[in-house]
Amino acid sequence: MVQKYQSPVRVYKHPFELVMAAYERRFPTCHLIPIFVASDVMKEETSEDGSTHRIERRCALDVDAPRLLKRIAGVDYIYFIQKNTLNRKERTLHIESHNETFSNRVIIHETCCYSVHPENEDWTCFEQSASLDIKSFFGFESTVEKIAMKQYASSINKGKEIIEYYLKELDDEGITHVPRWTPSSLFLASPQANHTSQDAKQDSSALQADSLNEILAGTPEDKLDADYIKRYLGDLTPLQESCLIRLRKWLQETHKGKIPKDEHILRFLRARDFNMDKAREILCQSLTWRKQHQVDYLLETWSSPQVLQDYYTGGWHHHDRDGRPLYILRLGQMDTKGLVRALGEESLLRHVLSINEEGLRRCEENTKVFGRPISCWTCLVDLEGLNMRHLWRPGVKALLRIIEVVEANYPETLGRLLILRAPRVFPVLWTLVSPFIDENTRKKFLIYAGNDYQGPGGLVDYIDKEIIPDFLGGECMCEVPEGGLVPKSMYRTAEELENEDVRLWTETIYQSASIFKGAPHELLIEIIDASSVITWDFDVCKGDVVFNIYHSKRAPQPPRKDPLGAHGITSPGGNNVQLIDKSWTLGQDYSMVESPLTCKEGESVQGSHITRWPGFYILQWKFHNMPACSATNLPRVDDVLATLQVSSHKCKVMYYTEVLGSEDFRLVALCVHLACMTNNIRNLQLS
């Protein structure tokens, strides 16, 4: 497996030329990097005008590895080839390095770039990316991988310190300014020299283009600054930073820029111990869920029913000693049975989701107020009054479902859970609930029986004395409702609650569809006026699909649902409709109006099509068949394994479509164009 690394943008608040002077002091050896024992210049050249300088070095590293492993490998040092291209005119240094030792067994490739900060020409940016691919190593592949990643992480941490060290050394020597490169008057006077300079510039550009494009891809706004990470996201290891940046970049590429906030991405990475593939899977599932149920707009659209305002015994209350928002829940005073009977499970779930959304908002606010990253909250649960009536089966079932939804979509948001005045019945409830709570979350639970919370190691260790609620013996008035029994006159029938639940969770503009091998899902859109615009927005929730758009002058037969018995499965939560008759011939009965688009699992796709003719347009999502190997006409092994992971050859999409009149579409396009122009003008004014 190839290990990859991508650094954030690291900023030196010094001019490029001064940073380059500090960088050169690292050679031929550097006492700050003990494993860097020697370097020899293999090749060096400078363009005639002096603007471009290329140097190739052979560097020897004394890697910190077990002596037995070195003896088996038969080497004392590991040699790397480093190629540097300094463009003084463009003010960039491009560095490429790869291993010479064991290059047939291990492939290490690193690309670095120093460049001028896009918003301050007196600052310098540094970016770095690398990859490690171990083909074979005498049976010690796993050991070598761990050693390599450990050494690399250590060198990354030291990198900025070393430049800062040499910058200070220059300052101590009185060197605080290095002039920028300028072409000499003698060189400018020579036509031959100018011609040579242009050739050198073209050669340099050609050599750097591919690697520079990869490391400098994206706008400055797309990239994460190391200082920003430390200020708003916390102290991350280099490899954790790399996971965040790579997952963020993948989301930008597949979700068309509509990506969650960095704090939210980081929570999912932490929930899976920074395993990027696992984090990406659960994050994509959560994004689909949020989109389908319009959770991003919950705080603006959800209004708590009066019965919740009166009888739901929970609310926000200042913050704990670490600056985390504090939520208080008087569970022992809550009539869970009454709330479920009066509101239904779905209303309670929506209310809890709104609490979590408010918690995310308060974390962002406290991060700004306290000047340090705050990504989770503290929950204080008072169990005074908890008894057997709280173990009412439908109430426990509702609680378990709420926990399941919150665990899946709000990971790593609970910093600490303080459970106070736990009664004797609590172990029974804990036995029922704890299996549904993530192990990392359970470690954050602190449980106090009776009045133990009032002594040393109790509540005052986590909450300032001034804000301890009055009902816990403090002096602060708490606005959390006292609860009580919900009047039975507010209870609703099972039929009313069921209809209400259906209404709550079907209030979405998106529809779901299942796609099977040999059974695509098709959607019919009738167009009356030519030049109308069909727009679409869909997410591939499972499997890979091919998206097509067809046009037909005649209406297809009434839609038929696929008899899923042929596939031996049922399709809950997603329909499958087929419109194109098998007797139809492509090119005669219907025609393709857009090139097929292959969409991978997890991608979010938006697009539009301007219709040329009236008639019937069919949007089709089809199961993506893996391509065969061109030489043998057989499927590739990796593709077969990937296919086996798609249960029963089933894919799933969630989609929304809309038809706009041509005038409406032009108006929207004009507004977007004007907004872009205004933004560009503002940026020019600021610069």
Side-chain angles (χ1 to χ4, degrees), residues 333-349:
Q333 304 300 314
M334 187 184 296
D335 180 10
T336 52
K337 179 177 180 179
L339 288 174
V340 173
R341 292 290 300 273
L343 292 168
E345 187 178 321
E346 302 302 336
S347 288
L348 271 178
L349 176 57

Side-chain angles (χ1 to χ4, degrees), residues 45 75 129-130 182 219 222 263 275 283 295 351 380 386 396 413 475 537 580 588 675 684:
E45 59 183 10
V75 297
S129 65
T182 54
T219 64
D222 291 337
E263 304 93 304
N275 182 311
L283 177 56
V295 178
H351 184 64
L380 187 156
L386 189 77
V396 173
T413 53
E475 300 177 357
D537 177 1
I580 299 176
Q588 296 180 9
L684 287 171

Side-chain angles (χ1 to χ4, degrees), residues 467-591:
I467 66 167
I468 293 179
D470 52 343
F471 62 85
L472 292 174
E475 300 177 357
C476 185
M477 294 298 294
C478 184
E479 297 181 0
V480 174
E482 294 184 2
L485 295 176
V486 177
K488 290 187 177 181
S489 60
M490 292 185 173
Y491 286 13
R492 301 165 72 185
T493 65
E495 291 76 15
E496 289 175 325
L497 291 176
E498 185 177 354
N499 292 335
E500 177 71 8
D501 289 349
V502 170
R503 186 186 68 79
L504 280 171
W505 288 104
T506 54
E507 287 179 340
T508 172
I509 59 175
Y510 291 90
Q511 300 181 59
S512 295
S514 296
I515 299 117
F516 304 90
K517 195 169 186 179
H521 176 71
E522 294 164 346
L523 177 70
L524 181 66
I525 298 177
E526 184 176 3
I527 297 296
I528 305 300
D529 300 320
S531 299
S532 295
V533 181
I534 302 172
T535 65
W536 57 83
D537 177 1
F538 66 87
D539 291 279
V540 185
C541 308
K542 181 179 180 181
D544 301 341
V545 301
V546 178
F547 178 63
N548 290 301
I549 306 177
Y550 300 103
H551 171 262
S552 175
K553 293 181 180 178
R554 60 180 173 132
Q557 294 295 321
R560 68 184 189 280
K561 297 216 170 184
D562 178 55
L564 299 179
H567 300 275
I569 55 177
T570 57
S571 178
N575 62 330
N576 178 271
V577 176
Q578 296 167 49
L579 300 166
I580 299 176
D581 194 281
K582 291 183 178 180
S583 64
W584 281 17
T585 303
L586 183 63
Q588 296 180 9
D589 301 290
Y590 67 111
S591 58

Side-chain angles (χ1 to χ4, degrees), residues 109-169:
H109 184 262
E110 181 185 60
T111 305
C112 307
C113 182
Y114 289 87
S115 60
V116 178
H117 193 286
E119 297 174 4
N120 189 330
E121 63 176 14
D122 289 328
W123 290 358
T124 305
C125 294
F126 173 75
E127 291 181 74
Q128 181 178 11
S129 65
S131 63
L132 167 68
D133 185 7
I134 301 177
K135 304 292 186 182
S136 64
F137 203 85
F138 312 107
F140 291 92
E141 291 80 12
S142 178
T143 303
V144 171
E145 181 178 298
K146 290 177 182 177
I147 292 172
M149 297 306 291
K150 181 181 177 182
Q151 294 273 198
Y152 196 71
S154 175
S155 67
I156 292 166
N157 283 328
K158 287 185 178 180
K160 187 172 183 179
E161 297 175 13
I162 292 167
I163 294 294
E164 296 285 2
Y165 172 85
Y166 286 121
L167 284 168
K168 185 178 183 303
E169 187 176 85

Side-chain angles (χ1 to χ4, degrees), residues 585-606:
T585 303
L586 183 63
Q588 296 180 9
D589 301 290
Y590 67 111
S591 58
M592 183 180 291
V593 296
E594 290 275 0
S595 298
L597 177 65
T598 302
C599 310
K600 300 292 185 180
E601 180 175 325
E603 285 193 31
S604 179
V605 181
Q606 297 83 35

Side-chain angles (χ1 to χ4, degrees), residues 449-464:
N451 293 323
D452 292 350
Y453 69 91
Q454 294 177 341
L459 207 53
V460 291
D461 284 11
Y462 306 104
I463 301 173
D464 289 332

Side-chain angles (χ1 to χ4, degrees), residues 44-298:
E44 187 172 9
E45 59 183 10
T46 304
S47 62
E48 291 195 22
D49 65 347
S51 65
T52 305
H53 177 238
R54 299 188 189 91
I55 186 168
E56 182 177 321
R57 295 184 177 95
R58 188 171 186 257
C59 306
L61 303 183
D62 185 9
V63 177
D64 183 15
R67 184 177 298 177
L68 176 62
L69 186 61
K70 286 186 175 181
R71 185 172 296 176
I72 292 173
V75 297
D76 291 322
Y77 300 131
I78 304 295
Y79 289 93
F80 278 77
I81 302 299
Q82 185 192 73
K83 299 178 181 179
N84 291 6
T85 303
L86 173 64
N87 190 321
R88 297 185 177 94
K89 184 176 181 181
E90 301 294 334
R91 304 178 77 195
T92 61
L93 172 65
H94 179 241
I95 306 167
E96 279 192 74
S97 60
H98 64 271
N99 60 305
E100 181 184 72
T101 309
F102 302 121
S103 58
N104 60 330
R105 295 179 178 272
V106 180
I107 300 173
I108 302 173
H109 184 262
E110 181 185 60
T111 305
C112 307
C113 182
Y114 289 87
S115 60
V116 178
H117 193 286
E119 297 174 4
N120 189 330
E121 63 176 14
D122 289 328
W123 290 358
T124 305
C125 294
F126 173 75
E127 291 181 74
Q128 181 178 11
S129 65
S131 63
L132 167 68
D133 185 7
I134 301 177
K135 304 292 186 182
S136 64
F137 203 85
F138 312 107
F140 291 92
E141 291 80 12
S142 178
T143 303
V144 171
E145 181 178 298
K146 290 177 182 177
I147 292 172
M149 297 306 291
K150 181 181 177 182
Q151 294 273 198
Y152 196 71
S154 175
S155 67
I156 292 166
N157 283 328
K158 287 185 178 180
K160 187 172 183 179
E161 297 175 13
I162 292 167
I163 294 294
E164 296 285 2
Y165 172 85
Y166 286 121
L167 284 168
K168 185 178 183 303
E169 187 176 85
L170 288 168
D171 185 65
D172 293 342
E173 295 173 8
I175 302 173
T176 58
H177 175 72
V178 176
R180 294 186 188 179
W181 176 86
T182 54
S184 65
S185 55
L186 178 64
F187 184 83
L188 288 173
S190 168
Q192 178 63 32
N194 282 333
H195 179 72
T196 304
S197 173
Q198 186 67 24
D199 290 344
K201 181 178 179 182
Q202 290 175 353
D203 292 343
S204 174
S205 299
L207 285 170
Q208 299 180 41
D210 293 339
S211 299
L212 277 174
N213 284 343
E214 181 178 352
I215 199 168
L216 298 177
T219 64
E221 292 78 9
D222 291 337
K223 298 180 180 180
L224 291 183
D225 183 285
D227 294 334
Y228 161 83
I229 290 177
K230 188 171 184 179
R231 166 64 179 83
Y232 291 99
L233 304 179
D235 291 320
L236 304 178
T237 68
L239 298 182
Q240 289 173 346
E241 289 177 339
S242 175
C243 287
L244 173 62
I245 291 165
R246 287 160 55 207
L247 181 52
R248 189 175 183 267
K249 183 179 179 183
W250 181 85
L251 287 167
Q252 286 172 332
E253 291 171 350
T254 58
H255 286 66
K256 310 299 182 186
K258 301 192 315 186
I259 65 171
K261 295 179 179 179
D262 300 322
E263 304 93 304
H264 201 58
I265 300 173
L266 188 57
R267 289 187 183 102
F268 282 85
L269 283 166
R270 282 179 170 144
R272 290 298 179 267
D273 295 323
F274 286 87
N275 182 311
M276 204 176 92
D277 292 334
K278 292 181 179 179
R280 177 169 56 194
E281 181 181 354
I282 61 172
L283 177 56
C284 286
Q285 291 171 357
S286 179
L287 292 177
T288 300
W289 171 83
R290 294 182 69 88
K291 193 172 185 179
Q292 185 171 12
H293 299 298
Q294 306 284 287
V295 178
D296 289 338
Y297 310 103
L298 191 60

